[in-house]
Amino acid sequence: METFEAEDPAVRLRAQRLLDQRKERGARLWSRLLSLLVAALVAAVAALSYRVYRLESVALPQEQPAQLKPHVITPREELGASEKARIALFERTWRSVVHITTLAVRSDPFRLNVLEVPRGTGSGFIWDQQGHIVTNYHVIAGASKASVTFADHRTLPAELVGLSARNDLAVLRVKGIPPNLKPLPLGTSHDLVVGQDVIAIGSPFGFDYTLSTGVISGLGREIEGAGGLPILGALQTDAAINPGNSGGPLLDSAGRLIGINTMIFSPSGASAGVGFAVPADTVGRVVPELIAYGQEVRPVIGVEPAADALTQRLGLPGVLVHKVHPGSPAEHVGIVPTQFQPMTGEVRLGDLIIKVDGAELRNAADLYLQLEKHKPGENVAITVLRNGETKTLTVTLARNVRE
């Protein structure tokens, strides 16, 4: 190791600087040599790895890329006779089915204005070329407006023609019905048998022109109507009927209208295989009356019953007569209404109708059902209880509408 021992401090400082520079150059040289050595080592490893890869590529067998092979499609045989018949039936009838949308008026309490909001949807079908559309009463009940969408996606406003809450039927009319759309042929329901094939066409959950199939699973059912009276002779089917099918047609295998889908029996609200339809015999009788008079023609005696709850609360039998319409058959035979004396505040109960043609009455619904067994102009035997005595009166039935 070199050392300098000079007595002059300046010379000694210069000598020390030269020594430090020599050491720094040596350190840089060793650093470069080390870097070159590392680079050479990395290059050697890379070359060795590439060589090994090449040797493996040559020595080992190579996997060939997979070849795509199309799956063999099995050709189907010709459609069965029942399938062809069902397809043909749908093709003949689906264009006669319509989709109905209703609006209701709602008030905005914050802006103090009135709005029309969507109320609901349902199904219907073309009744005739005059633009009459038949659907369920409950589809349009409470609506302020209704529109009808046809198979060609044309939507037209509809006006109300007539209602029958009693049998859950309604008739609308549209102007400008497409001329190529035909009415559904009307069939009968009195000659149906359990087990017959049926199809239902409608718009369940808004899916228009949906087909479901099934059979007649029951006849002569009694279901609760929208008017509070039971619909008699209803058809039961296991064809899938869901919300939106209401008002749509139930057809037989010949494509004839045999019923109008009206309700389901289901704990969940969706189809459970128990659906009901208004029978075609009722439809064929009521719809022409709705078109002609705006309401169903019924035989009446001209009385207005008191509420059943009041009669039951008073512990009275039968049907309490609240009012008697002037000029009615009931007035002609002397049926007495309930009277109120304003001077004394006394209420004199009217006659109690306890029987019609010998059949006992429990409530007002029984009275209407017994009268519906007859036609206007026919005579019925009305038994009343008045002041503890019974009297049987012969009453000639009238119509609820005028010609």
Side-chain angles (χ1 to χ4, degrees), residues 60-82:
L60 298 178
Q62 299 295 310
E63 293 184 1
Q64 296 298 323
Q67 299 294 324
L68 295 178
K69 295 182 179 180
H71 198 71
V72 178
I73 304 298
T74 303
R76 66 154 294 138
E77 298 178 355
E78 187 178 3
L79 294 174
S82 61

Side-chain angles (χ1 to χ4, degrees), residues 356-390:
V356 174
D357 289 336
E360 294 187 357
L361 307 181
R362 297 168 299 173
N363 49 44
D366 287 347
L367 172 62
Y368 295 134
L369 293 176
Q370 288 298 323
L371 295 180
E372 285 184 352
K373 295 179 179 179
H374 300 271
K375 296 180 180 179
E378 294 181 351
N379 293 331
V380 294
I382 303 292
T383 302
V384 299
L385 179 61
R386 180 187 304 163
N387 298 326
E389 297 181 0
T390 58

Side-chain angles (χ1 to χ4, degrees), residues 38-274:
V38 170
L41 182 60
V42 170
V45 171
L48 182 60
S49 299
Y50 178 74
R51 182 63 178 171
V52 171
Y53 168 76
R54 293 288 297 172
L55 290 175
E56 290 180 349
S57 300
V58 174
L60 298 178
Q62 299 295 310
E63 293 184 1
Q64 296 298 323
Q67 299 294 324
L68 295 178
K69 295 182 179 180
H71 198 71
V72 178
I73 304 298
T74 303
R76 66 154 294 138
E77 298 178 355
E78 187 178 3
L79 294 174
S82 61
E83 291 178 298
K84 289 182 178 180
R86 186 163 51 247
I87 293 171
L89 189 155
F90 181 74
E91 285 298 319
R92 292 198 313 269
T93 57
W94 73 270
R95 295 174 183 82
S96 300
V97 182
V98 300
H99 181 71
I100 298 175
T101 304
T102 58
L103 299 175
V105 174
R106 295 288 184 269
S107 60
D108 187 341
F110 299 102
R111 299 182 181 179
L112 300 179
N113 56 7
V114 176
L115 305 173
E116 284 187 335
V117 297
R119 180 186 172 276
T121 61
S123 303
F125 59 92
I126 300 173
W127 179 260
D128 56 29
Q129 291 291 356
Q130 286 68 50
H132 292 112
I133 306 296
V134 177
T135 185
N136 283 142
Y137 166 82
H138 74 262
V139 170
I140 63 170
S144 59
K145 287 185 179 179
S147 59
V148 176
T149 301
F150 294 91
D152 60 0
H153 303 292
R154 188 185 314 182
T155 299
L156 299 175
E159 62 178 355
L160 179 63
V161 174
L163 295 171
S164 172
R166 164 72 180 84
N167 285 297
D168 198 18
L169 294 173
V171 177
L172 306 174
R173 181 170 54 218
V174 296
K175 295 180 180 179
I177 183 173
N180 60 319
L181 302 182
K182 306 299 182 183
L184 285 176
L186 179 63
T188 57
S189 55
H190 64 271
D191 52 356
L192 297 174
V193 295
V194 174
Q196 276 190 245
D197 290 337
V198 295
I199 71 168
I201 304 177
S203 304
F205 304 109
F207 296 105
D208 54 356
Y209 302 108
T210 297
L211 168 72
S212 60
T213 63
V215 298
I216 295 291
S217 50
L219 296 168
R221 302 305 191 201
E222 185 175 305
I223 60 175
E224 189 68 25
L229 295 176
I231 299 175
L232 304 178
L235 310 179
Q236 180 183 334
T237 179
D238 66 347
I241 297 176
N242 289 289
N245 273 115
S246 292
L250 187 69
L251 307 175
D252 64 7
S253 57
R256 303 181 311 156
L257 177 76
I258 59 172
I260 298 180
N261 303 315
T262 183
M263 65 176 294
I264 59 175
F265 181 81
S266 170
S268 65
S271 176
V274 183

Side-chain angles (χ1 to χ4, degrees), residues 267-291:
S268 65
S271 176
V274 183
F276 298 98
V278 181
D281 291 349
T282 300
V283 176
R285 174 179 61 84
V286 175
V287 168
E289 296 173 351
L290 299 183
I291 294 174

